[in-house]
Each structure stands twice: as structure tokens, then as C-alpha cells.
Amino acid sequence: MSLINNLKMGIKLMILVVALLLCSVVVAGIGIGEMRKIDAQADMMYEYDMLALRAAKEANIQLIMASRSLVNMIFAEPGQLDAAKQRYAGYVQRVREELEKVRPKAVSPEGEAAYKEAAESFEGIVPLNEEILPLMGVSSPQEIFQAISKVRDEVNRADDAMSALGKVMADEADARSLDTTATAASAFIAMCVTIGVAILLGGLLGMLIGR
């Protein structure tokens, strides 16, 4: 303390300014670091959660549309049968495309398991439906309905698997959202503590310098 008291006023003020600047740098560093974490988590929420969740739900919708298209094909006019088959093939292709969007995002063990079940169950019903397509326009509606009813359990299994995949992706999105909220809260607390310490240090230095 006697050393500080013996210093010139200009040097004392310089010490105070340097100390406050260091505190400001620490506060800014904490803020920038935490904001980068939040930004990275926000990007991950968009890419891994929102897009993957939307793709999982869209795959389920396209599966339902494919099943309906297969049933509606029974009542298609002969001249419309080829177009109806093309619509069905389009729905099948879109299911695969949406599932492919989910695949690289399902990185957790639960996500990988749910994706595998959804993809395998869907690919399991495709060849069964392909066996029904040649019956269209040839067999009676009753025979076609019987053939479709035989694969109904597999279709329901695929539907349930895709619903489960969507739920897993939604749960992971909720967990990541909570992590982002916690990061923001910890950043706010850390900055408040650092600012409080800076104010206290500045006051102590001011008292020492002013003596």
C-alpha cells in the first residue's frame, strides 16, 4: 500500500485504467465465447433438429400417400392406370429421399436405432406392394383388396416406425433447446459475476489510489 501511495497521480490513474481495461477484456471474452457456443448450438438445432424432424414427418406423410395411392389404383380407369402407378412410384421415391435426409442427422444411439427400424420396415413393404401392382386392371377388386390386406400389418409397422423416428427427433430437438437455454443462462451469470468483480476491483483500486 505504501508503494501505491508513493506513486504519482498519473501512474495511479494509469494503473486504474489498465485494470478496468483488463476487466473489460475478460467480460468481452466471456461474452464472445458464450455467444459462439450459442450460435453453434443454434446452427445444430436448425440442421439436426428442425430439418431432420421435418424430413421424418414428411417421410411418414409420403408413406401414407403411397398406401392410399395403391388403394385408389383399384378404381382407376384403364387409361389412367399408368399415371396412377407413376404417382405411387413418386410417393415411394419421396419417402426414400426424406429418410435419406434424416440418416446423417440421426447420430444418437436412439436416433440410429429409430432410423434403422423406419428404413428397414419401409423397404420391407415395397417389394410386397410391387407384387400387388401387376394385379391392377387384371384381377377383381376383391382379390386386390385381399392382397393389400395381407401386407397391412407391415404397412402399419412402417407407419409406427416412422412415427417413432419423428418422436425421437423431436425429443432430441427439445433436449438441444434446453442445452442452448442453459448455455445462455450460464453466460449471463458469468458476465454478471465478472462485471461485479470488475466494479469491486475498480472501487478498491480507486480507494487505494485516492489515498
Side-chain angles (χ1 to χ4, degrees), residues 7 48 70 73-74 81 90 93 104 108 110 119 124-125 145 157 167-168 179 190 194 196 199 202 204:
L7 293 176
Y48 281 80
L70 192 65
M73 208 180 298
I74 300 173
L81 191 56
Q93 180 61 28
S108 68
E110 295 81 4
I125 66 173
F145 271 122
R157 176 180 167 232
K167 185 178 185 305
V168 169
D179 289 342
T194 307
I199 293 173
L204 290 174

Side-chain angles (χ1 to χ4, degrees), residues 34 37-38 41 174-190:
E34 295 300 326
K37 289 181 183 178
I38 295 172
Q41 289 176 342
D174 291 340
R176 230 182 299 271
S177 177
L178 291 175
D179 289 342
T180 303
T181 302
T183 300
S186 65
F188 178 75
I189 292 173

Side-chain angles (χ1 to χ4, degrees), residues 11-208:
I11 297 177
K12 292 180 179 180
L13 291 175
M14 186 178 296
I15 293 173
L16 178 59
V17 170
V18 170
L20 293 177
L21 285 175
L22 289 175
C23 291
S24 299
V25 170
V26 172
V27 172
I30 292 174
I32 292 172
E34 295 300 326
M35 286 303 296
R36 285 180 176 174
K37 289 181 183 178
I38 295 172
D39 185 58
Q41 289 176 342
D43 289 341
M44 187 174 294
M45 284 177 62
Y46 176 75
E47 182 176 354
Y48 281 80
D49 298 333
M50 193 180 86
L51 295 182
L53 178 58
R54 184 171 63 185
K57 291 183 177 180
E58 186 63 24
N60 199 359
I61 292 172
Q62 295 301 320
L63 171 64
I64 295 172
M65 295 299 294
S67 300
R68 290 180 179 175
S69 175
L70 192 65
V71 174
N72 292 337
M73 208 180 298
I74 300 173
F75 308 102
E77 297 293 334
Q80 299 174 343
L81 191 56
D82 288 341
K85 289 181 178 180
Q86 290 179 0
R87 282 195 297 272
Y88 167 79
Y91 291 132
V92 171
Q93 180 61 28
R94 282 193 285 275
V95 172
R96 288 178 173 143
E97 290 173 355
E98 296 301 329
L99 285 177
E100 185 61 25
K101 294 177 184 178
V102 178
R103 184 182 61 80
K105 312 301 192 249
V107 294
S108 68
E110 295 81 4
E112 289 180 352
Y115 170 80
K116 183 179 179 181
E117 176 65 20
E120 290 181 353
S121 60
F122 170 70
E123 293 299 337
I125 66 173
V126 172
L128 299 177
N129 287 341
E130 294 291 341
E131 294 176 1
I132 298 174
L133 290 177
L135 302 178
M136 300 297 178
V138 178
S139 301
S140 66
Q142 290 78 10
E143 290 175 333
I144 299 174
F145 271 122
Q146 288 177 356
I148 292 176
S149 65
K150 292 179 181 179
V151 301
R152 186 172 298 160
D153 289 342
E154 294 300 321
V155 173
N156 290 337
R157 176 180 167 232
D159 182 38
D160 292 341
M162 290 192 186
S163 297
L165 176 61
K167 185 178 185 305
V168 169
M169 302 310 293
D171 290 342
E172 291 185 357
D174 291 340
R176 230 182 299 271
S177 177
L178 291 175
D179 289 342
T180 303
T181 302
T183 300
S186 65
F188 178 75
I189 292 173
M191 290 181 67
C192 287
V193 170
T194 307
I195 291 172
V197 171
I199 293 173
L200 180 62
L201 180 60
L204 290 174
L205 287 174
M207 291 175 60
L208 290 174

